[in-house]
Amino acid sequence: MTKKLEHEYIAHTERPALTWDEQGQPYSTEYDDVYYSTTDALAETRFVFLDKNNLAARWPHLTHQQTFTVCETGFGAGLNFLATWQLWRSTRPSGRMHFISFEKHPLNSAQIAKALNRWPQFAALSEQLCALYPPSSAPGFHHITLDEGQVQLTLYFGDAKTGLEQLVLAHGAINKIENRSSCIGDKQQLVDAWYFDGFTPAKNPSIWQPCIFTLAAELSKSTTTFATFTSARSVRDAIENAGFKWQKVPGFGLKREMLFGTFEQHPFAQVDPNKAPTTAHRSYRKRNGVQHSWHLQTANSEHQPPKTAIVIGGGLAGAHAAHALALRGVNVTLLERAPNLANGASSNLQGLVYTRLSLSGNPLSRFNMAAQLYADRFYHSHNFYTTCGEASGVLHLATSNAIEKQLRNIGEQHASTDPNPIFNWVEQQDTEQAVGVSTSTGGLFIRNSGWLNPVQLCHALTNHPRITKLFNSDAAQLQQDAHGQWFALTNDGHKLASADITVICTARDAKHLAQTAYLPMRNIRGQVSHLSSHGLSQRLHASVCGAGYIAPAQSGIHCAGASFNLHENTLDLREEDHQFNIDNLASMSKSLTFNPPLTTLDGKVGFRATTPDYFPIVGPVPIRDEFCERFAGYRKRAATPIPQTGPYYRGLYVSVGYGSRGLAYTPLATESLCHSIFGELQPIATETLLHLHPARFLFRDLTRNRI
Ligand SMILES: Cc1cc2nc3c(=O)[nH]c(=O)nc-3n(C[C@H](O)[C@H](O)[C@H](O)COP(=O)(O)OP(=O)(O)OC[C@H]3O[C@@H](n4cnc5c(N)ncnc54)[C@H](O)[C@@H]3O)c2cc1C
């Protein structure tokens, strides 16, 4: 499905080649150009980008559910972003801002901090940005939520053209063209304002090539504006050919002229909607390996952001979904069939924010890295690490030579670009200093990661005035009326709740709802052991994972785990599982040897809902039979794309299948889900979107002639 996308993958970013002048300003030796104007860069930013896009006048008109999207080509040290963020804060609009920026040669957080030092008025914002700024060596999308989610920053570390293509492909702007007759046009949350920035066209022509503006046009609507500091002829022509109408005005300071304007017309607007996509589309879709459209939904002219939502399931997935929707102004009814939150797999005392990390370049390892980085940022920025756990670091032990190689690689890569890297390789002899006890092997230490109490986290996430929790509420059926309203009903038809949209977060029990019954998941039983701490284990001040895992003791108890039982479904605690957990800890460190009486040892049993490809299932729910009918052609010719969008229940979404990684996967997966629900540009790579997509199994099964 996404093989070709993998060719586009780069294992690490390109480092910036720069020097610093006497004022502490960066200068690119590669492009032989300044990052900022040497006179008054902030005034220029405001003059060119903020004023000419008319932001201060446009923002007060936003409704509380609208997102204003700014897209910038060239993040540099983030001055444009900080100036925009500061203006947003002082304007206090009721909506949200999503700022997307591309950077091929990302500075690291120390360099960003140094460059922004020149503007003391931004000290607080700069500090927040730098604290959450991603490792500069990690390519791809990085999403950062600020101001309680009211401001979002998506950084793409890599080539701007590739990043823009990803946005177009993931979002389905193609929808605008292929289904023009039913396109949602201006209601879709495309880009509202473009900042065409970067080193000058003469010094870095690649960021000003015509395809950049063609892609920008595909993400634009009739109210979209743009501004750029240059008025170079080649740029003007490219902008005009892409469908933007420009005006030339005197530039800032000594610069003679600059351009700004609006998006006038989609360059493909004249295309017959019944015909196949244009050559331009075909070529970059082909190049990116995303030639299919099954993941896209047919646009709906009635599309409105939801005001109300039902979330079914009060575990990590449901709590994250409810939280994210509430922050977007949606009134949520959370239905949980148990008498309280976090009753299923999310009921442990401690869980590690953990994924299997490697640079091996397969889609799962890329998702793991993106999810790990986002989860740690998310739990920090919302203070969950202080209220529901501890970000005291996690040591990933090298449990085999192959894993050691992978983990060392990550540590070395990050150490080579960041002076204070998030990931550090720790030799075996140094592990005691890193985590408090000496471990059997070295490992990769993630300094800003940690453990969380999932029960407390579910409570904290759902503690919001827009969330109503209904317990003892078993949603056995879902129905939609002619107006599109969803109803959750009990087995005997009693109405539990109604809302504009429904998000199913019931782990493997999604199988009991008719609309999601076919989703392939199986339960894997697991048991954690509650071990009383002892003199040596009390020295543990960070979490360790290897064959098993353990976190620093809370109230004298370590919650250590976890066993894997594939074909068992008993909820009873088992002595052999306790022994399994204890043996694993002993193999990780002599200091983590425990000898409790197994017969009375406490613990917890749960079931991990696991998918065949280990990705969770997150996104819109396909209408199975219609999907199979529409894409029946794949049974005969799997490789020939069928240029049609998929049939999906309008307003029905699912977020399940988190396996052993609920704490690390739910933040990013939920963020992507909300971007889908609101039609916003995605904060994740297209390949990840397709790997999370609920319809992926139907598509694969059709192409393999299994259904
Ligand atoms: C032993 C063990 C150890 C683990 N350790 C870790 C760890 O260290 N780190 C980590 O990240 N992950 C860990 N996990 C995995 C993690 O717990 C799961 O990925 C996560 O809890 C899944 O959350 P969920 O919301 O999808 O499912 P659940 O927590 O199972 O929540 C589903 C909820 O839906 C409710 N529900 C179901 N059907 C209905 C219905 N029809 N109507 C209303 N409500 C319904 C259920 O009652 C339940 O509360 C562990 C799992 C186990 C079993």
Side-chain angles (χ1 to χ4, degrees):
M1 170 169 57
T2 56
K3 267 202 183 109
K4 286 186 186 144
L5 273 176
E6 288 176 34
H7 294 309
E8 302 248 331
Y9 173 71
I10 42 167
H12 51 82
T13 54
E14 292 178 30
R15 270 201 253 177
L18 51 85
T19 55
W20 297 85
D21 70 13
E22 282 156 11
Q23 282 80 45
Q25 285 308 289
Y27 184 89
S28 168
T29 48
E30 180 167 352
Y31 295 105
D32 188 21
D33 202 357
V34 289
Y35 272 76
Y36 307 119
S37 126
T38 41
T39 45
D40 190 346
L42 178 56
E44 177 166 10
T45 283
R46 288 178 172 146
F47 178 86
V48 174
F49 297 112
L50 279 56
D51 294 351
K52 295 296 181 290
N53 275 303
N54 206 14
L55 300 184
R58 291 163 80 187
W59 286 345
H61 300 294
L62 293 175
T63 65
H64 77 285
Q65 286 204 307
Q66 264 180 315
T67 297
F68 190 94
T69 304
V70 178
C71 198
E72 173 192 51
T73 52
F75 188 69
L79 179 63
N80 291 346
F81 170 64
L82 285 205
T84 310
W85 184 13
Q86 193 201 44
L87 180 66
W88 178 268
R89 277 186 161 193
S90 61
T91 316
R92 292 175 166 271
S94 51
R96 297 154 57 88
M97 176 175 71
H98 186 192
F99 193 103
I100 303 169
S101 189
F102 306 95
E103 182 53 62
K104 191 172 180 184
H105 306 280
L107 305 186
N108 63 41
S109 58
Q111 291 166 326
I112 298 257
K114 185 173 172 184
L116 292 173
N117 233 344
R118 185 167 146 197
W119 295 281
Q121 64 269 50
F122 288 151
L125 300 185
S126 161
E127 198 181 321
Q128 277 188 63
L129 171 68
C130 291
L132 298 170
Y133 188 78
S136 61
S137 61
F141 284 94
H142 301 277
H143 192 63
I144 300 173
T145 48
L146 299 153
D147 291 351
E148 277 285 299
Q150 299 311 297
V151 173
Q152 304 172 67
L153 171 64
T154 300
L155 291 169
Y156 179 82
F157 287 171
D159 190 65
K161 178 169 158 278
T162 314
L164 281 165
E165 285 179 355
Q166 292 273 322
L167 288 185
V168 172
L169 293 168
H171 190 60
I174 289 157
N175 229 6
K176 277 174 73 175
I177 297 136
E178 289 180 2
N179 299 287
R180 272 206 87 71
S181 50
S182 60
C183 95
I184 52 179
D186 287 355
K187 288 193 178 139
Q188 220 169 3
Q189 306 239 7
L190 298 169
V191 174
D192 294 285
W194 288 96
Y195 296 0
F196 294 128
D197 200 6
F199 296 117
T200 59
K203 302 204 166 164
N204 183 18
S206 74
I207 195 90
W208 304 98
Q209 54 186 316
C211 64
I212 295 285
F213 303 103
T214 310
L215 288 162
E218 293 197 26
L219 295 166
S220 298
K221 52 190 174 180
S222 62
T223 49
T224 301
T225 58
F226 81 89
T228 178
F229 65 87
T230 181
S231 64
R233 179 68 192 262
S234 58
V235 173
R236 222 165 57 205
D237 289 349
I239 283 178
E240 184 172 310
N241 290 340
F244 291 92
K245 191 170 181 201
W246 53 265
Q247 286 183 56
K248 199 157 52 171
V249 288
F252 179 78
L254 297 175
K255 291 196 180 125
R256 228 158 46 98
E257 286 164 332
M258 61 160 283
L259 299 177
F260 74 102
T262 50
F263 182 68
E264 283 283 293
Q265 178 202 19
H266 200 284
F268 304 113
Q270 304 311 320
V271 169
D272 180 344
N274 299 315
K275 282 198 181 146
T278 62
T279 315
H281 277 108
R282 270 204 304 274
S283 72
Y284 73 71
R285 291 175 82 183
K286 194 167 178 186
R287 210 171 53 251
N288 282 283
V290 185
Q291 299 181 62
H292 305 278
S293 316
W294 54 263
H295 63 289
L296 302 176
Q297 290 192 58
T298 306
N300 172 9
S301 56
E302 301 295 308
H303 181 269
Q304 293 291 344
K307 291 191 168 54
T308 53
I310 299 169
V311 171
I312 311 176
L316 283 172
H320 272 282
H323 174 257
L325 288 167
L327 288 186
R328 281 172 161 79
V330 179
N331 291 320
V332 178
T333 306
L334 191 150
L335 302 177
E336 168 55 55
R337 75 167 163 221
N340 41 40
L341 290 172
N343 234 273
S346 313
S347 58
N348 292 338
L349 295 177
Q350 291 176 311
L352 300 199
V353 181
Y354 165 86
T355 63
R356 201 174 282 277
L357 295 171
S358 91
L359 297 178
S360 64
N362 64 56
L364 188 59
S365 65
R366 286 199 283 277
F367 172 57
N368 282 347
M369 181 61 89
Q372 176 81 52
L373 288 169
Y374 182 71
D376 287 325
R377 272 200 299 274
F378 175 88
Y379 294 129
H380 276 287
S381 66
H382 290 274
N383 284 328
F384 293 130
Y385 266 138
T386 36
T387 54
C388 310
E390 219 172 54
S392 43
V394 178
L395 181 66
H396 292 224
L397 293 181
T399 48
S400 69
N401 289 342
I403 291 178
E404 174 171 340
K405 200 171 155 208
Q406 292 288 353
L407 298 180
R408 264 185 195 278
N409 266 345
I410 297 173
E412 281 162 12
Q413 181 180 307
H414 286 256
S416 71
T417 51
D418 283 83
N420 183 21
I422 289 174
F423 300 98
N424 281 288
W425 171 259
V426 181
E427 297 293 350
Q428 188 274 328
Q429 63 271 21
D430 300 325
T431 53
E432 184 168 355
Q433 199 190 349
V435 299
V437 301
S438 175
T439 57
S440 53
T441 68
L444 187 73
F445 187 67
I446 312 184
R447 67 168 162 78
N448 71 341
S449 194
W451 64 269
L452 288 159
N453 177 319
V455 183
Q456 287 177 5
L457 179 62
C458 288
H459 281 276
L461 284 164
T462 56
N463 182 18
H464 191 286
R466 288 193 186 276
I467 302 176
T468 306
K469 288 165 263 189
L470 299 183
F471 296 111
N472 304 307
S473 301
D474 191 340
Q477 311 172 50
L478 284 173
Q479 288 174 6
Q480 191 173 29
D481 72 10
H483 308 288
Q485 279 284 297
W486 283 97
F487 294 84
L489 310 170
T490 59
N491 224 348
D492 53 14
H494 169 70
K495 187 183 119 185
L496 290 166
S498 66
D500 298 336
I501 64 164
T502 295
V503 188
I504 300 168
C505 304
T506 53
R508 189 173 176 275
D509 288 341
K511 286 202 158 295
H512 301 310
L513 289 166
Q515 292 85 349
T516 45
Y518 65 91
L519 289 175
M521 276 181 284
R522 61 179 175 170
N523 269 346
I524 300 182
R525 181 187 178 280
Q527 179 175 316
V528 290
S529 306
H530 297 170
L531 300 166
S532 296
S533 62
H534 52 66
L536 286 174
S537 80
Q538 278 161 11
R539 294 185 191 164
L540 194 67
H541 54 72
S543 304
V544 184
C545 55
Y549 67 79
I550 186 166
Q554 294 304 297
S555 309
I557 300 289
H558 298 280
C559 178
S563 61
F564 271 82
N565 315 116
L566 261 181
H567 303 292
E568 290 164 40
N569 52 20
T570 172
L571 271 168
D572 298 337
L573 287 171
R574 301 190 325 179
E575 287 177 32
E576 63 261 45
D577 287 56
H578 281 320
Q579 192 60 56
F580 176 85
N581 291 337
I582 288 168
D583 290 348
N584 278 337
L585 294 183
S587 75
M588 289 157 55
S589 166
K590 285 195 183 121
S591 304
L592 299 176
T593 303
F594 295 86
N595 291 302
L598 297 185
T599 44
T600 54
L601 185 59
D602 202 4
K604 191 107 200 168
V605 174
F607 295 94
R608 310 167 178 95
T610 309
T611 62
D613 57 11
Y614 302 105
F615 280 92
I617 303 172
V618 186
V621 178
I623 307 170
R624 185 184 184 280
D625 292 345
E626 271 184 48
F627 192 97
C628 292
E629 206 175 301
R630 192 171 298 178
F631 296 109
Y634 282 132
R635 293 194 181 107
K636 288 194 185 125
R637 290 179 302 278
T640 311
I642 297 175
Q644 290 202 50
T645 54
Y648 294 89
Y649 293 101
R650 196 148 297 281
L652 185 62
Y653 301 87
V654 63
S655 175
V656 295
Y658 287 98
S660 311
R661 312 269 185 258
L663 287 168
Y665 284 173
T666 41
L668 187 60
T670 305
E671 193 58 26
S672 165
L673 177 71
C674 280
H675 282 249
S676 291
I677 292 172
F678 282 83
E680 295 165 7
L681 296 176
Q682 278 291 333
I684 59 171
T686 311
E687 67 156 14
T688 308
L689 191 79
L690 296 181
H691 277 285
L692 297 176
H693 206 286
R696 69 186 188 265
F697 303 106
L698 294 178
F699 169 70
R700 284 176 199 162
D701 285 350
L702 282 168
T703 58
R704 291 167 194 168
N705 242 311
R706 286 196 190 141
I707 50 173

